[in-house]
Amino acid sequence: MSTSADGDVDTVAGNLRSVGEHVLDNPALAALTGPHAHFAERRGRVLRYPADVSPWLGVPDRLEAGDWADLAALLGPGTDAPFAGFAGEPPAGWEVTFDLPGVQLVDDGLVTAPDPEAVRLGPADVPEMLDLVARTKPGPFLPRTVEMGTYLGIRHEGALVAMAGERLHPPGWTEISAVCTDAEFQGRGLATRLVRAVAHGIRERGETPFLHTGAGNTGAIRLYEALGFRLRRRSRFLVARVPEHATAEV
């Protein structure tokens, strides 16, 4: 499995610009050919994060037969290929195991502020972060996801009870993700405080916050809209399983 060289990244980025009207139309590819290029593992026109960093793939808007073959080789037979914002359908032999309508929201007047109780989370905090994610299920969070950006948490009597952080990083934008609160501490505004604090750091860098959530997660959508996010586009989260007979040679 190879890490992208600068020239390869430039080629894929050129493909992105030719098919996408906006970097947020294909944020994973924009991130992996931009600020997150140091994470990128590539084969042909398809890219991925390391398996312990993030499951998201960076793929062209229109996948050709060769791209599917490269994707199968990059991931390996029998593994799951998660797509964010993918509009097409996998080819014959690829089993769809998850298909969820989603939404993408962007900053439209969000009030941001640092939080005096929020602490920066790092590698030493990962076991607690993974435990909180397992109990609250905010979305994918893996042992090295913390390396994707800034993660902030709030502790109560030393225990991590809420967190939020940064995930995808297309040029000029940063996704807020892993927003979660322990069930015992919900309803106290901790998530709101952390979203505003994470967004404050993003704004301080001259970038704009955005986020994704499931279209059916109406409570979260109402909260985000009340905070100052607006719907930019409807999306789709799809997971397709690589055929067992696919080659794993890279």
Side-chain angles (χ1 to χ4, degrees):
M1 196 174 292
S2 62
T3 301
S4 301
D6 291 342
D8 296 324
V9 169
D10 289 342
T11 298
V12 179
N15 291 335
L16 168 66
R17 286 190 294 270
S18 68
V19 297
E21 295 181 359
H22 194 287
V23 292
L24 293 190
D25 292 344
N26 197 334
L29 182 58
L32 285 167
T33 56
H36 279 174
H38 60 286
F39 285 121
E41 298 173 351
R42 180 194 61 85
R43 184 179 175 96
R45 299 198 306 159
V46 299
L47 297 91
R48 64 172 290 182
Y49 286 92
D52 56 355
V53 173
S54 175
W56 299 119
L57 304 169
V59 299
D61 289 348
R62 290 182 289 275
L63 285 164
E64 301 172 355
D67 298 322
W68 287 103
D70 285 338
L71 186 56
L74 186 62
L75 297 179
T79 58
D80 286 334
F83 301 89
F86 183 60
E89 296 296 335
W94 290 67
E95 177 191 2
V96 174
T97 60
F98 183 82
D99 195 350
L100 178 73
V103 293
Q104 183 185 82
L105 300 107
V106 296
D107 178 6
D108 188 34
L110 177 65
V111 176
T112 71
D115 190 283
E117 289 190 68
V119 295
R120 178 76 179 262
L121 302 175
D125 302 296
V126 167
E128 279 189 283
M129 299 169 80
L130 290 171
D131 179 66
L132 181 60
V133 165
R135 289 184 281 113
T136 57
K137 303 187 185 308
F141 186 90
L142 301 167
R144 292 179 56 207
T145 301
V146 70
E147 297 176 22
M148 297 179 76
T150 300
Y151 279 80
L152 301 178
I154 292 178
R155 295 183 175 277
H156 177 75
E157 297 181 352
L160 183 66
V161 298
M163 74 174 195
E166 301 173 357
R167 190 170 61 179
L168 296 179
H169 192 183
W173 300 78
T174 300
E175 180 191 26
I176 296 178
S177 184
V179 181
C180 56
T181 304
D182 180 272
E184 185 179 345
F185 293 86
Q186 291 178 3
R188 304 186 188 186
L190 301 186
T192 293
R193 289 164 51 188
L194 286 172
V195 167
R196 286 176 168 160
V198 172
H200 179 79
I202 295 169
R203 288 258 197 88
E204 287 287 291
R205 297 197 302 264
E207 298 174 348
T208 305
F210 75 105
L211 53 83
H212 293 101
T213 191
N217 194 359
T218 55
I221 293 171
R222 284 196 297 269
L223 169 64
Y224 293 136
E225 289 179 333
L227 289 177
F229 287 92
R230 65 169 174 82
L231 176 68
R232 178 181 178 268
R233 71 193 296 255
R234 299 193 177 276
S235 187
R236 180 189 185 195
F237 302 109
L238 181 143
V239 179
R241 185 157 295 155
V242 180
E244 290 288 349
H245 57 77
T247 178
E249 294 181 2
V250 180

